[in-house]
Amino acid sequence: MMKIRIEITLCLLLFLVLAPFCICSGERLPVGMTLVRKATAHGAVCLDGSLPAYHLHRGFGAGSNNWILQFEGGGWCNDISSCLERAKTRRGSTRYMSKLEVFSGILSNNASLNPDFYNWNRVKLRYCDGASFSGDSKFDNGTSLLYFRGQRIWEAIIHDLLPKGLSRARKALLSGCSAGGLATFLHCHNFTKMLPSNASVKCLSDAGFFLDERDISLNYSMRSFYHDLVALQGIEQNLNPNCTRSTSNPKLCFFPQYALNYISTPYFILNSAYDVFQFHHSLVPPSPDLHGHWNRCKLDPPACSATRSVYCKV
């Protein structure tokens, strides 16, 4: 009985801490990787030049014409050195990725665990560009070569899926977590336009609503980070034109809070009130807290003072 209680407690903790779709189950559904073979011809390659990829598990029955696509997350690289390092890992190259991906949660085929989407066509888009599937440029100094082709990767995967049934979709959900959640804000609008006009399309961002707010030193740390990212990877040209035309600082349209104003597709936004990443990197980044006054609060949010708790609530 004690063991069962411990397992239940651990499951609840994992559910609350890791993700809203985390499922405490021993069932595993390994799904093979599909490389987009025609992508090279369109310059749609990962940071290191390797082919982009996705994992597809076919739907069946009443869900055979419904699709859920999930962007993989995994942060960003906003300068040459960090992108060169990333290109040597699974975050920048399909060469280092596992060729089997376990589908669970919202991608599970178990009706009791995933009653809404278990029989849909479920796709996981692998993340290897470092800019939430949005860049379109290249770095080549004669010694090092990096491809910033996230936008082309996104388009290549969609064009690979269309003849596999996506072009006949009746219902579709574009989803993603963290950096993948941000990608949904960047691509929700054009995803809708790629599908049949009578398709029911919705988008879902899980922990991807990154804020443009001042940190504890009153600087815009995240804005500075994203500005470097947008400039490096040639992202501005791919941002929502209605958004970029509405502001004197078009790079701000990389932030969901600005992009969302120009998305008409129905949207589900799921985000923790106390987002750990944003707490540690956006609101209280290391640079303005050199003496570690916020360390205890960052490690144990309930230990924060009332003033700090209010400040850190996203």
Side-chain angles (χ1 to χ4, degrees), residues 91-138:
R91 297 299 186 197
S93 172
T94 49
R95 295 186 179 100
Y96 303 106
M97 290 181 183
S98 169
K99 302 308 181 280
L100 290 175
E101 187 71 7
V102 175
F103 275 22
S104 62
I106 200 172
L107 298 180
S108 170
N109 67 337
N110 188 313
S112 62
L113 300 176
N114 186 28
D116 295 309
F117 307 108
Y118 74 97
N119 62 350
W120 286 32
N121 297 283
R122 285 153 287 113
V123 185
K124 183 167 187 176
L125 286 69
R126 301 308 299 268
Y127 184 32
C128 65
D129 66 281
S132 292
F133 296 83
S134 64
D136 193 1
S137 65
K138 184 173 74 170

Side-chain angles (χ1 to χ4, degrees), residues 16-53:
L16 292 170
V17 173
L18 294 179
F21 298 112
C22 176
I23 291 176
C24 303
S25 167
E27 291 194 19
R28 295 170 63 84
L29 175 62
V31 178
M33 173 185 283
T34 299
L35 292 172
V36 185
R37 300 290 179 184
K38 297 180 181 179
T40 305
H42 303 284
V45 293
C46 300
L47 286 173
D48 71 333
S50 58
L51 289 171

Side-chain angles (χ1 to χ4, degrees), residues 198-209:
N198 62 346
S200 174
V201 184
K202 296 179 174 62
C203 297
L204 164 66
S205 170
D206 175 7
F209 201 93

